[in-house]
Amino acid sequence: MAWNEPGKNGKDNDPWKQGGRDQGPPDLDEVFRNFGKKFGGIFGGSGGGSQGSSGGGSASTLLLLVAIVAALVWAFSGFYTIKESERGVILRFGQFHTEVGPGIHWKPTFIDQVRPVDLTSVRSFRTDGFMLTQDQNLVRVTFEVQYRVFDARAYLFSVVNADNSLQEATDAALRFVIGHSLMDDVLTRGREVVRQNTRQELETIITPYRMGLVLVDVNFRDARPPEEVRDAFDDAIAAQEDQERFVREAEAYAREIEPRARGQVNRIMQEAEAYRQQVILRAQGEVARFEQLLPQYLAAPRVTRERLYLETMEEVFSNTSKVMVDVSSGNNIMYLPLDQMLKGGSTSGSSSALPVTPPRNLQDSQNTAPRQDGIRGSTSRDGRR
């Protein structure tokens, strides 16, 4: 049954005991007074005391309630979360206390302070400006430095501002390296050397400060001359690039020609070696033939000489189509071997005349046969001897 059932004007079921519907809203002061009396009874107070004691009990109860709520708020406010990529640095009354890892932690509020530091993400910044080179030229250089934090405590407390200190150290290292380099090296072929030297110099500068930072990479972004002389430097850079291209083409041509030349050298060396072996073997054959001919010559010198002469003439006459025979008793006789001329054809296009001097024992062609018979007879007689 509803407390405001019609017929009774809701008087029996009115929780505020205010009568029917025509009454106004409940008195809040009385509600809180009743609530305070109940709490006063719970904590040992008396609900039936005087008006002054009733007011003091209400104030103490309210203060206690506020204290409980404040304690709960303070307790719950101490919970915090550290991300996976972070480390939490705990400061107790402003002084370093400890470090905590990722997860949910609790700290006493107003006593401890947590400062999370990201240790995994890579940070970067750029530095640029006009710098003076070793050869007294101005050049605008742009560098990019990438780094990360590896020690949270050192990052927060070793220097006032580690990021700003790193930027200033980078600027100092870059100006030092550029000041000891030539402008052509900075603009063209020496960029990698400048980058490496700048990184080494930067690490040397920041190491004593123990900033808790580690360099990931140092990139040489750009190097430009002043705008007033930029066109001239662009032409110079183009000329240097052409020079490098020509050098590379020449090296490629050299790598192509060198193996071919080495092959030709090896072939010539092999041919020379083969020719040398051929000459040696031919000489050895001549020596062997001479050694075989020497005993025959010692046994019959005249016959051997004539035989060698006839063999030589036979070899010479086989290569010519015309032969001139010198006859002492008359005019020279031309001998035309027609059979050799017909066989030779085009190969014997150029004719030659060779004067031949017969040996002393051959006076004419008619006396050749008897003399040879006499030679054979003398040879046989010498053999019998």
Side-chain angles (χ1 to χ4, degrees):
M1 177 182 292
W3 63 268
N4 56 354
E5 183 179 1
K8 294 184 180 181
N9 294 327
K11 293 182 178 180
D12 295 336
N13 298 322
D14 188 359
W16 292 285
K17 307 298 181 180
Q18 297 294 329
R21 292 182 180 181
D22 55 346
Q23 300 296 326
D27 189 1
L28 296 179
D29 293 338
E30 187 175 354
V31 172
F32 281 110
R33 189 180 302 112
N34 294 332
F35 187 74
K37 289 179 181 180
K38 292 180 181 180
F39 270 94
I42 294 173
F43 292 101
S46 175
S50 63
Q51 185 70 22
S53 62
S54 176
S58 299
S60 62
T61 302
L62 184 60
L63 291 175
L64 182 60
L65 183 61
V66 171
I68 293 174
V69 173
L72 293 176
V73 172
W74 178 83
F76 281 104
S77 66
F79 289 98
Y80 64 94
T81 303
I82 300 297
K83 298 180 181 179
E84 184 66 27
S85 61
E86 296 178 343
R87 293 294 182 273
V89 179
I90 307 299
L91 303 179
R92 179 160 294 176
F93 297 109
Q95 187 178 2
F96 174 79
H97 177 62
T98 184
E99 290 186 12
V100 294
I104 300 176
H105 305 275
W106 182 85
K107 65 178 178 63
T109 307
F110 308 117
I111 297 176
D112 289 354
Q113 181 183 1
V114 181
R115 299 181 64 178
V117 179
D118 193 350
L119 300 183
T120 59
S121 63
V122 177
R123 312 180 186 188
S124 64
F125 65 88
R126 286 191 179 187
T127 179
D128 61 352
F130 284 100
M131 302 178 187
L132 191 65
T133 61
Q134 186 178 4
D135 51 356
Q136 302 300 317
N137 288 317
L138 283 176
V139 59
R140 186 180 182 89
V141 180
T142 302
F143 253 68
E144 181 179 5
V145 178
Q146 297 178 353
Y147 67 97
R148 65 179 180 85
V149 181
F150 74 94
D151 189 347
R153 180 180 179 181
Y155 173 74
L156 292 176
F157 304 115
S158 292
V159 293
V160 176
N161 189 336
D163 297 327
N164 189 27
S165 299
L166 181 61
Q167 293 182 13
E168 294 178 355
T170 302
D171 187 71
L174 183 58
R175 290 184 182 276
F176 175 81
V177 174
I178 296 298
H180 290 79
S181 303
L182 298 177
M183 188 171 188
D184 291 339
D185 295 337
V186 175
L187 295 177
T188 56
R189 58 180 178 273
R191 291 193 172 189
E192 181 63 22
V193 177
V194 172
R195 187 189 71 84
Q196 294 177 359
N197 293 340
T198 302
R199 179 167 185 169
Q200 295 176 359
E201 186 66 22
L202 180 58
E203 290 178 347
T204 303
I205 293 175
I206 66 176
T207 298
Y209 292 97
R210 298 179 181 178
M211 298 180 182
L213 303 176
V214 59
L215 297 179
V216 177
D217 195 8
V218 177
N219 297 322
F220 196 158
R221 285 298 180 184
D222 193 14
R224 302 188 305 274
E227 295 295 335
E228 293 78 8
V229 294
R230 186 169 184 175
D231 295 337
F233 275 97
D234 291 341
D235 294 339
I237 293 174
Q240 291 178 357
E241 292 177 352
D242 292 340
Q243 178 184 0
E244 294 178 357
R245 178 171 58 85
F246 292 149
V247 169
R248 288 194 295 268
E249 291 178 355
E251 291 176 351
Y253 178 74
R255 288 192 295 269
E256 178 184 359
I257 293 299
E258 184 178 359
R260 188 183 304 172
R262 291 183 182 276
Q264 293 179 355
V265 169
N266 293 332
R267 180 175 58 82
I268 293 174
M269 292 293 293
Q270 293 176 359
E271 291 178 354
E273 183 66 22
Y275 177 74
R276 186 177 72 88
Q277 294 293 336
Q278 179 182 1
V279 171
I280 291 174
L281 294 177
R282 184 179 299 173
Q284 291 176 354
E286 294 292 336
V287 170
R289 188 171 66 85
F290 178 77
E291 290 178 353
Q292 293 178 0
L293 186 61
L294 181 60
Q296 300 178 7
Y297 181 80
L298 294 177
R302 183 176 179 182
V303 175
T304 304
R305 281 197 304 268
E306 291 180 358
R307 184 169 60 83
L308 293 175
Y309 176 78
L310 293 176
E311 291 177 355
T312 303
M313 290 298 104
E314 182 180 1
E315 181 179 359
V316 171
F317 291 158
S318 64
N319 296 326
T320 183
S321 59
K322 296 180 181 180
V323 180
M324 298 295 295
V325 180
D326 186 11
V327 181
S328 58
S329 60
N331 296 328
N332 294 334
I333 299 175
M334 178 178 293
Y335 171 68
L336 299 176
L338 297 178
D339 54 348
Q340 296 294 334
M341 294 176 65
L342 295 176
K343 291 180 181 180
S346 61
T347 59
S348 60
S350 59
S351 61
S352 60
L354 298 177
V356 179
T357 303
R360 295 179 180 178
N361 59 337
L362 299 179
Q363 296 297 330
D364 52 13
S365 58
Q366 297 177 357
N367 299 329
T368 301
R371 289 180 177 241
Q372 290 179 354
D373 295 338
I375 291 172
R376 295 191 186 93
S378 62
T379 303
S380 63
R381 287 193 299 271
D382 293 338
R384 287 194 298 271
R385 293 176 184 175

